[in-house]
Amino acid sequence: MVIRNIWAVGRNFKDHAKEMGAPPPDRPMIFLKAGSSATVGSSEIWLPEWTTSVDHELELAFRFDAFLRVKEAALALDLTERNEQQIAKKEGLPWTRAKSFDEACPMTPTFLIQNLEELEDKPYRLWVNDELKQEGLIGNMIFSPAFLLSYVQDYFPVTGGDFFLTGTPAGVGPIKAGDTIKVQMQGYITHIWKVYQNKKQEDPA
Ligand code: MG
């Protein structure tokens, strides 16, 4: 399946906005991750060689079908190169380096849902090396998935197969080669990734 676009919203949890030192937004802050930065159902995350400060951001993701209905969800990692993002913020530059590098959007396999409401009371969690780091709940979002999935279509050319990422709760932190990342939404999906990093080729002596 080709993923053309990954639409995402920033600062959609008050506790995360606070940890990033930003006020909660009064309208959704939409940004894009390259569709080609996604991996779906892989058991490996390969960080680019140049990255030095990649953070996990656990997010509930939804997939638009050919009729732009939402019948599938997934858990996604909105991986973010935090140094690059800080530079971009300071200099008023786009976030592309920070958000759209190779494999910047690992996703679990999608799972079927009947409606958005059924997920409302289902917490989703992320562990790094068996340590619980993040827990999300739709009820704690500033803008609800129902609102956002409609909003993004009002402003942007959403196409079938596109994903929407609903923002991360507090607790973002670094991942590095050797780490094991587990995510779970009980009754729906459990998925594990092993983290690797591409290294520069040594010059032959
Ligand atoms: Mg995010």
Side-chain angles (χ1 to χ4, degrees):
M1 174 186 63
V2 173
I3 301 170
R4 290 175 71 182
N5 303 301
I6 303 169
W7 308 95
V9 61
R11 297 172 199 154
N12 197 31
F13 285 81
K14 278 185 189 159
D15 57 357
H16 173 62
K18 194 172 168 195
E19 77 179 346
M20 299 309 291
D26 53 15
R27 64 175 187 168
M29 197 194 68
I30 306 291
F31 64 94
L32 277 163
K33 290 172 83 76
S36 55
S37 73
T39 63
V40 179
S42 174
S43 58
E44 300 178 353
I45 297 170
W46 282 86
L47 301 174
E49 173 270 329
W50 58 267
T51 59
T52 58
S53 60
V54 174
D55 277 2
H56 57 79
E57 295 192 356
L58 169 66
E59 312 207 2
L60 180 58
F62 294 99
R63 180 174 178 266
F64 291 95
D65 71 10
F67 304 99
L68 305 187
R69 298 169 309 193
V70 172
K71 306 276 186 193
E72 291 174 69
L75 293 177
L77 303 181
D78 171 21
L79 294 183
T80 303
E81 221 295 347
R82 203 62 78 189
N83 282 344
E84 290 289 346
Q85 190 190 38
Q86 299 301 355
I87 291 168
K89 282 181 179 174
K90 204 168 83 187
E91 299 185 358
L93 298 170
W95 289 8
T96 312
R97 281 176 191 271
K99 292 287 194 180
S100 283
F101 52 85
D102 195 23
E103 300 206 7
C105 195
M107 287 193 274
T108 69
T110 59
F111 50 88
L112 293 172
I113 56 171
Q114 300 295 320
N115 50 57
L116 298 173
E117 292 72 35
E118 74 183 75
L119 299 181
E120 270 175 11
D121 59 348
K122 308 287 192 306
Y124 46 100
R125 300 185 175 96
L126 174 144
W127 294 258
V128 178
N129 303 327
D130 292 326
E131 192 178 332
L132 180 64
K133 296 287 190 183
Q134 290 192 277
E135 179 172 310
L137 190 66
I138 285 177
N140 293 333
M141 292 181 185
I142 296 172
F143 302 105
S144 71
F147 175 81
L148 290 167
L149 292 166
S150 166
Y151 181 91
V152 73
Q153 293 178 70
D154 288 344
Y155 284 87
F156 305 107
V158 175
T159 63
D162 287 3
F163 278 85
F164 188 90
L165 272 51
T166 55
T168 194
V172 303
I175 63 169
K176 58 182 189 322
D179 286 347
T180 299
I181 314 291
K182 179 175 127 179
V183 297
Q184 184 174 64
M185 181 181 251
Q186 217 155 28
Y188 290 91
I189 193 87
T190 301
H191 193 80
I192 292 173
W193 293 275
K194 188 87 182 163
V195 182
Y196 301 87
Q197 184 160 24
N198 289 303
K199 291 290 179 198
K200 261 193 188 131
Q201 296 294 319
E202 294 293 327
D203 285 334

